[in-house]
Amino acid sequence: MMLIKIEFVVELEESSEEDDHHEILFLSTSTTGVTSTDSVSVDSHYRETTREKTMNIVKDILQTLYKNISMYKTEQEIANAIKELQDVNSSIKNSMVNVDMLLPSSTNTNRKGRKSKKGVKESTKRLEILREIFEKRQAADVKKKEKDEKVKVETEKKKRFLENEERHVALELKKRKLTLVVQGADGKLVGTTASKPLKPEVKRENNPADFDILDSFSSQKKDKIFEYVENRIRKFISTIHSVGGDGNCGFRAVSFEIYKDQSRWERVKDDMLKTYMQYKDTLYKSTSESDSIIRFKEEKMIRRLQSKVSPCLHDTDLWFFSFVCPQIVADTYQRPVYLYCYTEHYVHKTGATNKIYESQIFMPLIHMDLSSLQNPIPLLLANSHFYFIEFSRTNTGRLKKLPNIHVINMDHSRLRSSYGSICNSVDYSELISHLCIRK
């Protein structure tokens, strides 16, 4: 005869969210020598009750939202509420958290479904997973915010630079006497303020030695001139030389590097004039302008390079033009020209002064030896005056690697693509990365 024993076990579980209790009924049958189980799985039953309870909470929340929204009096308040609900719905659809991750940590249970004294299973890592997901989202938000701030700063920087350029242009126009350029019957350009066609000016009687005095600055702590250079470049500079300020300071700075004497700036002009006359119809020709304007600019450049006037502070047309002259210098002496520019922008609303740093590299387009990469011509333009920069070097005489913040001249690629037969087959701008270190 088989003896059947039936046991009913009722267990009360506490809910972490509500104070109500759920009764779980386990039915087990055991016989002498034979054991069988005809009960509902504990884990499955637990999941069903948890889901039902969760859905009830969702239902209560939605009913509360409906009541609150129905009490709104204006259409705008209702529209705002709908927009918020749509955003919440979108975030729920794109959620990275699975439902299983939101379930409470499972516990060790014995055969009868009672909680074990061991407590929570060691393999349960739902809380750790949730924390990792939250931290990843926080890090992504911070990174995106930093990127947006960086883009905003760069945009403001470019905007201030353009405003500063416009201010300087307006100031120069006020200083100059407006001249209307017309084309005469003989085809030559004549200015309304001049009785004769434009010709190179003759050197006036002045003492050039008055401007041959050279001032050198090598103390970055005491000499404020180093503030004209960006901090990342400043530590790679050994000395900054200030040449004579007679209006030919740009040519004097080049002469100091090429001939080790700033007083030979006239020879620099002669060298540049030969290169310009050879390529004035190709590499140095203006684009997108009428023929008369192009001829006027050519004569203006020829007049600038032929002039031996000193001083020429009141005639800005004779100054070292920072957009074209550095490229002519690079092609003339077959060496790259590093041009650093410093400008200040005064903000009227706040009364603050913004410092703007720019840097460009003018690479030779015609020819250059690889050894010239170690001997660039660094120039600094600040407050309408050119300085010559002397970089620090290693014990073996090699140039130290500079930070990779330089920008190749914007016309470099256009000129190479337009005049490929004139330019060298090797693009020297690709070699600049060997002289720079990463940011």
Side-chain angles (χ1 to χ4, degrees), residues 135-186:
E135 291 177 353
K136 287 181 180 179
R137 287 185 174 181
Q138 289 291 99
D141 293 341
V142 172
K143 188 175 181 181
K144 182 180 178 181
K145 185 177 180 180
E146 291 178 351
K147 184 178 180 180
D148 294 341
E149 288 293 334
K150 186 177 180 180
V151 172
K152 184 178 179 181
V153 170
E154 291 294 332
T155 304
E156 290 294 331
K157 183 179 178 181
K158 293 180 181 179
K159 183 179 178 180
R160 292 194 301 268
F161 178 74
L162 293 176
E163 291 176 354
N164 189 62
E165 287 293 327
E166 292 176 358
R167 183 171 63 86
H168 279 289
V169 170
L171 182 61
E172 292 298 332
L173 290 178
K174 290 181 181 179
K175 292 180 179 179
R176 299 181 188 181
K177 186 177 181 180
L178 183 61
T179 301
L180 178 62
V181 179
V182 296
Q183 186 174 4
D186 54 354

Side-chain angles (χ1 to χ4, degrees), residues 109-126:
T109 56
N110 55 19
R111 289 194 316 166
K112 296 181 180 181
R114 296 190 179 95
K115 292 182 180 179
S116 175
K117 295 181 180 180
K118 297 180 180 179
V120 181
K121 292 182 178 180
E122 296 179 356
S123 60
T124 302
K125 295 184 179 180
R126 293 193 178 94

Side-chain angles (χ1 to χ4, degrees), residues 84-102:
E84 293 292 336
L85 291 175
Q86 289 176 348
D87 294 341
V88 172
N89 184 36
S90 177
S91 63
I92 292 175
K93 290 181 179 180
N94 300 328
S95 177
M96 296 175 57
V97 182
N98 297 327
V99 177
D100 294 339
M101 297 178 182
L102 299 177

Side-chain angles (χ1 to χ4, degrees), residues 176 199-201 247-248 251 265 269-270 272-273 276 297-309 312 315-322 324-325 328:
R176 299 181 188 181
K199 293 182 179 180
E201 295 189 21
N248 299 301
F251 304 100
W265 57 272
K269 281 193 171 185
D270 294 338
M272 293 174 61
L273 181 61
Y276 179 78
K297 288 187 175 182
E298 288 180 359
E299 293 186 6
K300 186 176 179 181
M301 179 59 71
I302 294 174
R303 173 173 170 261
R304 175 185 288 114
L305 298 179
Q306 286 181 343
S307 174
K308 302 299 187 295
V309 177
C312 57
D315 192 352
T316 57
D317 290 342
L318 301 180
W319 292 5
F320 190 90
F321 189 40
S322 59
V324 181
C325 290
I328 301 177

